[in-house]
Amino acid sequence: MAEKCIDNYKYIFNPKLLSGKVAFVTGGGTGICFTVTEILMRHGCDAVIVSRKLDKLKESAETLSRVTGRKCIPVQMDVRKPESVINAVEEALKNFRRIDILVNGAAGNFLCPASSMSFNAFRTVMEIDAHGTFNVSKVVYDKYMKDHGGVIVNITALLHVRGRILQAHAGSAKAAIEAMTRHLAVEWGLNGIRVMCVAPGPIGDTEGMSRLGGALLTEEMEKSIPIQRIGTREDIGNTVLYVVSDAAQLLTGTTIYADGGSWLTDSNNYYEAVKTGGLRKLSKM
Ligand code: COA
Ligand code: NAP
């Protein structure tokens, strides 16, 4: 299904906030990172969106350019393959000569109990999320940010914070990214680079939600979240916008929990899920 831009986007920041800047967004052709790209572009930024499926990227780039009036270039890339990352970053620099903002949003996930997860399943998610984030950050650093500074935003999650059920693979990968964020923030601060994580909670209308049990979300569960609702893609786009803006100059090496407080109140009750059969239903999603 084609990605759609936000109807009646409400500007909070100055629409020229990111004028003259360029963002490189992995996973920017779909879901949360499509909307992150849209919101950055609505604030004057040009963008390069990268992932494996070129047709999807082309369609999304066309929509983003049409709606925002900015330039968006689709480039095919697999975050697991350093050669492909190098080619994509070179292509971006050939077109725009700069990359001020890197958003590492590419990820893979599914529900699976650790006991039945194959070695390759665990490795695959670690490679896309954790290795992928390192690969892209390193190439963008080497080829541009080392000499010009910038902001790197890693999209993580809250899975590892309390040990979310059926998420040992993705939680481990996101935890690794959070640690990496602190290491890179320390080492690359001297180059004028800030490195941050934005950790969404459950976000409606996304692939992640549909893969991770979104269909089982009840009104009662939503009402148990402190802000009384799950998040939207727009919420995450606005959070990333704040993080990359000069308003966030003190933020580096840390994680913003963008989840309305749901990690505090979510039941995450493995034993109850086993007892009621909920675990069986989730494992089949
Ligand atoms: N449950 C358990 N294991 C699964 C699985 C599932 N639902 N889906 C895939 N796997 C396993 C495969 O069986 C395989 O392991 P095996 O070789 O031991 O059988 C391993 O994971 C790799 O699968 P494969 O399909 O070869 O990987 P891929 O690189 O083509 O795709 C995925 C990566 C599996 C993460 C795929 O779902 C994907 O591309 N996801 C991107 C979109 C996404 O996940 N969005 C949500 C982000 S929150
Ligand atoms: P999504 O639309 O499926 O986004 C994942 C993106 O990653 C896709 O665009 C996919 O594109 C790309 N990708 C996957 N493997 C890749 C690879 N090897 N190389 C390059 N790109 C690859 O899912 P989403 O739900 O919006 O999730 C976006 C981000 O938010 C992820 O980091 C996710 O972990 C995080 N998150 C989501 C939620 C949620 O509720 N949805 C909650 C917490 C965190 P291709 O298939 O074209 O490669």
Side-chain angles (χ1 to χ4, degrees):
M1 212 167 59
E3 295 290 328
K4 275 180 56 193
C5 290
I6 302 161
D7 287 331
N8 303 317
Y9 177 71
K10 181 170 169 271
Y11 283 85
I12 299 163
F13 287 85
N14 185 327
K16 293 189 180 144
L17 188 71
L18 303 178
S19 282
K21 299 204 169 177
V22 173
F24 187 96
V25 184
T26 76
T30 66
I32 292 174
C33 290
F34 173 88
T35 305
V36 168
T37 311
E38 175 191 340
I39 290 181
L40 299 182
M41 291 175 70
R42 281 179 181 276
H43 289 81
C45 202
D46 291 325
V48 180
I49 54 174
V50 292
S51 74
R52 296 164 301 175
K53 299 187 188 110
L54 189 58
D55 285 352
K56 183 78 204 170
L57 289 169
K58 282 183 178 162
E59 178 189 69
S60 294
E62 198 276 318
T63 305
L64 288 165
S65 295
R66 180 170 34 79
V67 171
T68 66
R70 303 301 318 174
K71 250 177 117 176
C72 182
I73 293 176
V75 181
Q76 189 168 37
M77 182 187 101
D78 187 327
V79 294
R80 293 170 287 190
K81 299 183 179 147
E83 273 310 313
S84 124
V85 176
I86 291 168
N87 290 340
V89 172
E90 284 176 349
E91 178 75 23
L93 289 171
K94 203 166 78 193
N95 277 280
F96 290 123
R97 306 199 174 284
R98 59 192 301 150
I99 298 174
D100 306 277
I101 297 162
L102 164 62
V103 179
N104 283 306
N109 201 359
F110 41 79
L111 292 172
C112 187
S115 54
S116 54
M117 196 180 312
S118 75
F119 297 118
N120 192 36
F122 186 86
R123 180 172 52 234
T124 298
V125 171
M126 286 299 285
E127 281 182 354
I128 299 172
D129 294 25
H131 294 226
T133 296
F134 180 75
N135 295 343
V136 183
S137 302
K138 181 168 162 52
V139 174
V140 170
Y141 171 84
D142 281 343
K143 293 199 174 286
Y144 189 80
M145 286 190 182
K146 179 173 63 179
D147 299 319
H148 303 89
V151 187
I152 299 176
V153 183
N154 299 322
I155 307 299
T156 54
L158 290 151
L159 307 168
H160 57 293
V161 177
R162 289 172 63 214
R164 178 112 205 120
I165 61 174
L166 312 181
Q167 289 285 269
H169 48 327
S172 302
K174 297 296 194 184
I177 297 171
E178 275 196 17
M180 193 191 309
T181 296
R182 292 190 284 271
H183 289 286
L184 300 184
V186 170
E187 291 194 16
W188 295 352
L190 285 179
N191 304 79
I193 301 170
R194 291 191 294 111
V195 191
M196 285 291 295
C197 290
V198 167
I203 303 299
D205 186 25
T206 61
E207 181 66 21
M209 264 298 264
S210 66
R211 285 175 178 236
L212 307 182
L216 304 181
L217 184 82
T218 61
E219 201 178 321
E220 194 190 351
M221 287 174 192
E222 277 212 61
K223 292 297 167 203
S224 75
I225 298 172
I227 66 160
Q228 303 286 289
R229 66 170 178 87
I230 60 167
T232 63
R233 296 170 178 212
E234 188 173 342
D235 288 323
I236 302 305
N238 284 333
T239 306
V240 172
L241 178 66
Y242 162 63
V243 168
V244 303
S245 78
D246 283 349
Q249 281 181 28
L250 285 188
L251 300 189
T252 193
T254 191
T255 301
I256 294 194
Y257 288 7
D259 76 328
S262 75
W263 78 278
L264 294 163
T265 53
D266 176 350
S267 85
N268 194 32
N269 191 334
Y270 185 76
Y271 313 101
E272 184 67 19
V274 173
K275 233 173 29 202
T276 60
L279 194 63
R280 217 174 326 109
K281 272 194 230 156
L282 281 169
S283 300
K284 284 194 186 126
M285 296 192 93

